[in-house]
């Protein structure tokens, strides 16, 4: 892990984000001077992955409020709520962004009439707590998922739910990193993940940098490899888990889950508690982000589709809980019925 640049860094005064759109060709770290810059970094996927955008959003609030401490306490809280709603508007599907911003607002409200400088210090401490807590959650997910990784396995993953998408280690990739550290030998297959190629640009890169045996495939090759007996296990991350266990994740995940069920391959979804959304009863009500046409009509800078073609670009899909073998969480592997197991482990969080 030592060779990977961290996606989010707070140096005690300023926020730095790794620009993931430039990976794997360039490692560019940008200092974030304004809340607008942080919003844009989230929108443009410079920082991406559900836990990472939650952490970045929390620090983004601190960045935006630094210049506002001359306000009266009520006006400062009003500004905090305005900026939280603004940051939350950057991306709709991953609940971690909303979760982290709500946590920040709740902490500030508790301080009531304290002076804004004191509230700001508490907000900074809370953002650091969210960041540190994510490290522990990822490690716990890794430890609970570790027994699933057996010698000689072929393991498929989709999108990037690794170190780059979190504080470190990742969610779906955490068990793989821990198994590798323990000397277990296995092969990872990374779906390239059209249209933005998180699998090719990020997952295959971070696994390769960390010394794991990784093979990159195009998305449309996964079912073929399953049919050839090369895949024993699928592990993916998620952007939102509904109360019934339906999971939203990067577009293409649903197809992988359907193929895995057809071939009798276990399909696991890894997530921290910050991704579980009890306010959403089932997956079909999750708002799916639609992104710009150019991501589909172009490959890099080159146009690959006719002019004036109609395009759809949903960035996520929802996999029904019936296709999920288990949820690898920070509190253990949860099994169906998820409506019960999720409530039992997390309703009081
Ligand atoms: O659009 P992205 O790159 O932010 O999508 C990320 C994913 O879909 C990840 O699988 C998910 O956020 C889990 S990250 C631990």
């Amino acid at each position: 892990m030592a060779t990977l640049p961290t996606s989010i860094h707070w140096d005690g005064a300023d926020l730095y984000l790794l620009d993931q759109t430039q990976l794997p060709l360039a490692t560019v770290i940008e200092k974030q001077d304004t809340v607008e810059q942080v919003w844009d970094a989230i929108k443009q996927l410079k920082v991406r992955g559900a836990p990472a955008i939650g952490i970045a959003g929390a620090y983004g609030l601190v960045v935006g409020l630094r210049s506002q401490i001359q306000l009266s306490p009520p006006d400062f809280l009003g500004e905090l709520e305005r900026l939280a709603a603004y940051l939350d508007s950057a991306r709709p599907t991953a609940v971690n962004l909303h979760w982290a911003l709500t946590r920040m607002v709740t902490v500030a409200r508790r301080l009531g009439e304290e002076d804004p400088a004191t509230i700001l210090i508490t907000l900074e401490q809370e953002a650091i707590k969210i960041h540190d807590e994510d490290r522990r959650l990822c490690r716990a997910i890794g430890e609970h998922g570790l027994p699933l990784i057996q010698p000689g396995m072929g393991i498929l993953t989709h999108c990037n739910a690794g170190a780059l998408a979190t504080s470190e280690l990742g969610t779906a990739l955490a068990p793989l990193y821990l198994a590798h550290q323990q000397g277990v030998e296995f092969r990872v297959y990374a779906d390239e993940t059209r249209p933005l190629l998180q699998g090719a640009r990020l997952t295959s890169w971070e696994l390769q940098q960390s010394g794991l045996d990784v093979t990159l495939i195009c998305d449309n090759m996964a079912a073929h490899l399953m049919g050839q007996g090369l895949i024993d296990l699928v592990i993916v991350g998620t952007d939102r888990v509904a109360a019934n266990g339906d999971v939203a994740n990067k577009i293409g995940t649903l197809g992988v889950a359907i193929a895995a069920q057809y071939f009798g391959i276990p399909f696991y979804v890894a997530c921290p508690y910050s991704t579980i959304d009890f306010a959403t009863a089932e997956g079909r009500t999750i708002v799916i982000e639609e992104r710009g046409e150019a991501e589909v009509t172009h490959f890099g800078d080159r146009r690959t589709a006719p002019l004036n073609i109609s395009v759809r670009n949903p960035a996520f899909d929802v996999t029904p809980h019936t296709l999920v073998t288990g949820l690898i969480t920070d509190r253990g592997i949860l099994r169906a019925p998820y409506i019960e197991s999720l409530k039992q482990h997390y309703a009081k969080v």
Side-chain angles (χ1 to χ4, degrees):
M1 298 298 300
T3 48
L4 286 181
T6 170
S7 26
I8 303 164
H9 176 62
W10 179 259
D11 72 355
D14 287 302
L15 173 64
Y16 296 84
L17 297 176
L18 171 67
D19 180 356
Q20 298 190 34
T21 64
Q22 305 210 38
L23 288 173
L25 298 181
T27 303
V28 176
I29 292 164
E30 288 179 349
K31 181 161 162 282
Q32 306 293 306
D33 292 319
T34 65
V35 67
E36 289 80 14
Q37 198 184 346
V38 178
W39 185 94
D40 193 61
I42 296 171
K43 181 76 182 171
Q44 304 298 330
L45 274 59
K46 290 181 174 184
V47 59
R48 34 77 39 213
I53 64 174
I55 299 163
Y59 284 127
L61 264 188
V62 177
V63 169
L65 287 165
R66 284 188 302 207
S67 53
Q68 307 296 325
I69 53 171
Q70 78 292 347
L71 293 175
S72 68
D75 286 353
F76 185 79
L77 285 183
E79 183 63 2
L80 164 74
E81 286 173 12
R82 188 185 73 77
L83 292 184
Y86 167 66
L87 284 164
D88 202 7
S89 73
R91 297 193 77 188
T93 305
V95 72
N96 305 61
L97 180 58
H98 181 72
W99 168 86
L101 293 166
T102 306
R103 179 164 155 174
M104 296 286 281
V105 171
T106 306
V107 161
R109 275 209 202 110
R110 263 192 226 128
L111 294 178
E113 286 290 299
E114 290 280 357
D115 71 289
T118 307
I119 299 177
L120 187 63
I121 291 169
T122 308
L123 285 171
E124 180 190 348
Q125 287 165 348
E126 193 64 20
I128 293 168
K129 256 192 223 165
I130 290 171
H131 197 173
D132 287 345
E133 181 183 287
D134 188 67
R135 289 190 189 95
R136 291 195 297 277
L137 293 170
C138 289
R139 182 153 294 273
I141 289 168
E143 280 161 5
H144 289 301
L146 183 57
L148 298 174
I149 316 300
Q150 295 298 316
M153 272 187 162
I155 301 166
L156 178 73
T157 192
H158 188 76
C159 194
N160 174 265
L164 292 165
T166 61
S167 49
E168 62 182 20
L169 278 186
T171 57
L173 299 192
L176 309 186
Y177 280 125
L178 295 191
H180 176 68
Q181 279 165 16
Q182 297 194 359
V184 181
E185 288 187 15
F186 56 93
R187 171 165 295 172
V188 186
Y189 291 92
D191 277 348
E192 70 171 349
T193 318
R194 272 282 285 156
L196 293 181
L197 306 178
Q198 287 92 332
R201 292 187 304 101
L202 308 176
T203 299
S204 67
W205 180 76
E206 69 163 83
L207 291 174
Q208 186 189 52
Q209 293 291 306
S210 305
L212 279 80
D213 177 351
V214 56
T215 300
L216 175 64
I217 59 169
C218 299
D219 298 332
N220 51 9
M221 299 170 187
H224 175 69
L225 264 61
M226 288 181 186
Q228 289 196 321
L230 294 174
I231 311 292
D232 303 289
L233 175 68
V234 179
I235 309 184
V236 297
T238 172
D239 292 84
R240 191 182 294 243
V241 181
N244 70 345
D246 294 347
V247 290
N249 192 44
K250 179 54 56 195
I251 194 73
T253 302
L254 173 59
V256 173
I258 292 169
Q261 190 189 52
Y262 179 82
F263 288 108
I265 298 167
F267 177 89
Y268 283 89
V269 179
C271 65
Y273 81 92
S274 48
T275 309
I276 300 166
D277 179 15
F278 284 105
T280 297
E282 47 188 65
R284 69 188 167 82
T285 57
I286 295 173
V287 177
I288 300 294
E289 177 183 7
E290 283 273 345
R291 296 188 60 87
E293 290 186 8
E295 292 177 1
V296 177
T297 56
H298 288 65
F299 208 84
D301 289 336
R302 192 166 77 88
R303 189 170 182 99
T304 52
L307 291 171
N308 302 320
I309 193 75
S310 296
V311 169
R312 285 287 313 275
N313 186 15
F316 299 92
D317 57 28
V318 174
T319 298
H321 61 275
T322 47
L323 297 180
V324 177
T325 309
L327 292 172
I328 310 170
T329 74
D330 51 283
R331 296 197 174 172
I333 299 186
L334 310 193
R335 308 277 178 186
Y338 296 106
I339 199 150
E340 297 303 331
S341 53
L342 282 166
K343 227 187 287 170
Q344 189 191 332
H345 286 83
Y346 287 107
K348 288 199 191 78
V349 171

